[in-house]
Amino acid sequence: MSSLIDKVKEVAKTLIPVVVLVLIICFTIVDVGTDVLFRFLVGSVLLLIGLTIFLWGVDMAMNPIGEYMSKEVATSKSPVKIAVLGFLLGFLITVAEPDLLILGNQIEEASGGTLSSFLIVYMVSIGVGAMVTLGIFRLLRDRPLNRFMAVTYGIILILGLLVSQEFLAIAFDSSGATTGALTTPFVLALSLGLSNVKGGKYAEENSFGLVGIMSAGPILAVMLLSIISGQKNIHGDAGEYIFQKGVIGPILEAVPHIFIESLVALLPITILFFIYNFTKFKIKKSEMVQIIKGLIFCLLGLVIFLTAVNCGFMDMGRIIGMELAQMSSSLLIGIGFVLGLIVVLVEPAVHVLGSQIEEVTGGYIPINLIRMTLSLGVGTAIALSMVRIVVPEVKLWYFILPGFALAVFLSFKSNPVFVGIAYDAGGVASGPMTATFVLALAQGAATVIDTANVLVDGFGVIAMVATAPVLSIMALGTIFERRKVVELKHSAEETGSVADMPIAVSDFNHDCLIAIVNRGYAGYVVDLAREAGATGATVFHGRGGTDHPTVILPIVNIELMPEKELICLITDIDKSENVADFILKDTELVEKGEVAVYISPTFALIKDFSSDETSTATV
Amino acid sequence: MVKIDTIFFTIVDRGKANAVLRKARECGATSGTILLGEGTVQSKLLDFLGLTETRKEILLIPASDELDTNLHDQISQSFNLSKKNKGIAFSIPFQRRTLNNSSQEHNISIDDERFNHCCIFTIVEKGRGMDCIKAARAAGARGGTLIHGHGAGVPVDSYFHLAIEPQKDTVLIVTRKEKAVPIKMRIYNDLELNKPGNGIIFTLPVSRTSGLFEDKAEDRKGGTS
């Protein structure tokens, strides 16, 4: 049972701070009324259950689906096919996103019907499709992400100067709307799958970044739409907000609606996958059962999660926002900051990204550090959003445009793995929690403050949340990069004592060779080993330290360990020494790769496929 | 007593390996490498729900004979390895290869009488690791640890001329020597390793273990197999 408890614990750890803080606010500063308070508590329990089930469904279904689809994409023989499939994937996951439809309706209303929601939904989906395609090509061609994003954001900056204030906000918000609870984990899985299939030296860097690229699509699409249609201003006001009454009633009422939305959002990926499975993959039945179970968990978890957030958290956020804005603006900004710090950690995609980072970097990047940085970024973003609501002179573009310019600059200084993670973090942080709880908080505050417009100031909060983590994680990456440089000088290690033992039984035909090198040198080792007569190898990803002073980040006291690759080779007993010597003779490998080779005789059940050398090589 | 150089393996819950490595450094270890892996759970309910993994870390420390003894004592004490589910540690004789002493000969063997345990490594295609553990369990193994890795690149005929790196699951099973042969045969047959490309299996001798619950598993075997 322990692994189930672990999963619940993991989610609870992120949720409890939010609940505690909100309760403290409720009992000390703001009187929210018993209905809302109880609904919040029920919502918290539901959220815990829902998020746990959802994350586990993502593990079981989304990751394998992403893996199979990416294999299909990467091994296509024609670029047209890659483009079509990439576009289709991007388009389908976006067009079904419930958040996007809501945003479309809001814009239709705000623009007085000039821009129909239909047009917006399709334009944004086409934007995402196009960007996903470009992103896939970038990944497969090994083009550096920082340059790619520099060009993309360059275009966005230029367009940003041409469109109006309001559309700038809407454009950035639409990108937050497309990176919903389902799309982000799927695109993360797709990106991971692609880089796994592709492999190579940049596999790690390539595992991230697709979400970031994807979220640029809607920004470009909406900006272009504004420029082409000549639509500049939005007007109107959000309708009077009605608080729900009762505790259980509203929750039950919301379920069918949310169920249908979630189902619709999940369907396109599922159908596409089943079509491909039927015609191409033909997955084993037991694996299929797992995936179907996973999809059911995804749906179930998502429904419970969204119900909890919509019913339990939205009203709470709005009331807190209203009451605080009445009291004092500095209190509003302060509490906005603290809420931002902790709310982002409940976002489903943050959990998914966290485990992916751990998996990909073999634990090299401590997830807690990423979480802290993400928190700081989002906290600042929300505090600044509150400033924007309180002080009408402060405009959104003061933050957004220079923010992205700075991000582009930092991306050239930062550790390459972090560039992808940072761009992804924007999409990851602006999930359903931000879109409901935080947005409600801001809108609540805006209704009370006279100079603020609920609609205009409401737009733009998500944009801020999507920008700040990009910057903060990029900054972290820059710190990592500098630390790494210091660390590379390393003296040759003392060799282990030589054992002298009589030659024992020689019925072993194979040796097991383990070579440990710095990251990026595994491919090289395998090539050398093959040259020397070894047939195949398996590579593992890990982290490790030698006894030279390890790098410890100040303040947070987190130890950084260099990334390592471990190569396991099974070779014929008479070849193994050759192979080992061949590897050790390579000076570059010894100096830069810090290679260490260990040998042990092994009893291997390997059939000799001497007639079919290549197939053993793959093992 | 002859000295044996080893690699000291520790398998603990995710997040604990750093602390173990710190402790090992105190004992005099110079370097260590940490890999991420997954352990197995034995529960019908969780199996049905698809929750079949617990996240683990595998720590490898190259050690000399004295250090190895020291590590076993110190680490099992500080991390309570003698209690159940706290993790295990074992040592596999390995020799560090350097160019200076290339004349040395192999000097250890699986059949060595001093070694009671051995460690079975199976490398199969990704996704089949669990099948492998199931097969091993059927033959009397208690559990296994799964590590994801990838094989060497194979060029593929596609638009981008990729060298696909096939994803692999590696399964580590530590067991008593007597049980090793049936387990190996069972895995070999169940996973059809006789066919090319399906995977390989090999065994390494284990010189010392801590925290292994082989005997208790024996009693429960009737229920689990």
Side-chain angles (χ1 to χ4, degrees), chain A residues 293 497 501 539 543 597 602, chain B residues 5 34 48 97 107 150 203:
Chain A
K293 270 187 208 166
S497 59
M501 227 170 64
V539 180
R543 63 186 195 275
V597 181
T602 178
Chain B
D5 283 355
I34 299 165
F48 170 74
R97 179 89 187 167
N107 48 22
H150 62 83
T203 333

Side-chain angles (χ1 to χ4, degrees), chain A residues 595-618:
Chain A
V595 69
V597 181
Y598 303 89
I599 303 184
S600 181
T602 178
F603 180 66
L605 279 172
I606 304 176
K607 236 186 156 182
D608 195 12
F609 307 116
S610 39
S611 55
D612 191 357
E613 196 82 17
T614 44
S615 59
T616 29
T618 65

Side-chain angles (χ1 to χ4, degrees), chain A residues 319-350:
Chain A
I319 293 178
I320 293 178
M322 282 164 67
E323 300 273 329
L324 286 179
Q326 271 168 346
M327 277 182 235
S328 97
S329 46
S330 55
L331 196 65
L332 180 71
I333 295 165
I335 287 186
F337 177 74
V338 180
L339 269 178
L341 278 186
I342 52 182
V343 162
V344 64
L345 297 179
V346 189
E347 288 286 358
V350 171

Side-chain angles (χ1 to χ4, degrees), chain A residues 406-418:
Chain A
L406 190 60
V408 167
F409 171 74
L410 280 178
S411 73
F412 288 90
K413 301 263 168 221
S414 165
N415 183 326
V417 186
F418 281 83

Side-chain angles (χ1 to χ4, degrees), chain A residues 3-51:
Chain A
S3 66
L4 184 62
I5 293 166
D6 276 354
K7 293 226 173 215
V8 177
K9 247 195 224 159
E10 198 192 309
V11 176
K13 251 197 291 188
T14 59
L15 181 63
I16 286 169
V18 179
V19 176
V20 170
L21 180 73
V22 169
L23 287 183
I24 290 174
I25 296 173
C26 288
F27 288 125
T28 54
I29 314 173
V30 180
D31 178 29
V32 291
T34 41
D35 270 7
V36 176
L37 186 63
F38 277 114
R39 203 142 19 93
F40 173 78
L41 289 175
V42 175
S44 304
V45 176
L46 285 179
L47 194 148
L48 180 66
I49 300 167
L51 190 51

Side-chain angles (χ1 to χ4, degrees), chain A residues 287-549:
Chain A
E287 204 174 333
M288 205 60 213
V289 172
Q290 286 293 79
I291 291 180
I292 292 171
K293 270 187 208 166
L295 285 170
I296 294 170
F297 285 142
C298 266
L299 181 64
L300 190 71
L302 194 62
V303 171
I304 300 176
F305 174 78
L306 290 179
T307 310
V309 172
N310 280 318
C311 300
F313 281 66
M314 208 135 102
D315 283 355
M316 185 55 108
R318 188 171 276 267
I319 293 178
I320 293 178
M322 282 164 67
E323 300 273 329
L324 286 179
Q326 271 168 346
M327 277 182 235
S328 97
S329 46
S330 55
L331 196 65
L332 180 71
I333 295 165
I335 287 186
F337 177 74
V338 180
L339 269 178
L341 278 186
I342 52 182
V343 162
V344 64
L345 297 179
V346 189
E347 288 286 358
V350 171
H351 288 264
V352 178
L353 182 72
S355 55
Q356 188 159 324
I357 291 172
E358 189 178 45
E359 226 40 77
V360 169
T361 64
Y364 163 61
I365 300 177
I367 315 174
N368 284 336
L369 195 61
I370 292 280
R371 290 201 182 126
M372 276 186 241
T373 317
L374 206 59
S375 283
L376 268 178
V378 174
T380 317
I382 292 171
L384 289 177
S385 295
M386 296 303 162
V387 172
R388 203 163 62 85
I389 290 170
V390 179
V391 189
E393 288 79 32
V394 179
K395 302 285 186 214
L396 180 68
W397 67 267
Y398 289 4
F399 306 114
I400 302 269
L401 299 185
F404 272 113
L406 190 60
V408 167
F409 171 74
L410 280 178
S411 73
F412 288 90
K413 301 263 168 221
S414 165
N415 183 326
V417 186
F418 281 83
V419 176
I421 296 177
Y423 280 123
D424 277 359
V428 163
S430 56
M433 275 305 264
T434 320
T436 50
F437 188 53
V438 174
L439 195 62
L441 184 79
Q443 286 175 337
T447 41
V448 178
I449 291 168
D450 299 333
T451 50
N453 180 323
V454 181
L455 200 63
V456 177
D457 285 318
F459 286 129
V461 173
I462 298 178
M464 292 289 291
V465 173
T467 317
V470 179
L471 263 179
S472 65
I473 291 190
M474 213 73 96
L476 180 71
T478 315
I479 298 171
F480 255 70
E481 186 65 14
R482 307 196 94 188
R483 295 272 156 180
K484 212 166 87 180
V485 178
V486 181
E487 202 192 352
L488 271 177
K489 39 184 166 94
H490 170 53
S491 57
E493 215 176 302
E494 195 65 33
T495 50
S497 59
V498 184
D500 48 334
M501 227 170 64
I503 304 162
V505 207
S506 58
D507 59 337
F508 299 101
N509 298 321
H510 295 90
D511 268 346
C512 172
L513 250 84
I514 290 183
I516 300 174
V517 287
N518 283 342
R519 184 175 80 86
Y521 288 92
Y524 194 46
V525 172
V526 174
D527 288 346
L528 280 178
R530 275 192 179 157
E531 244 174 84
T535 43
T538 310
V539 180
F540 304 102
H541 218 106
R543 63 186 195 275
T546 35
D547 61 333
H548 62 82

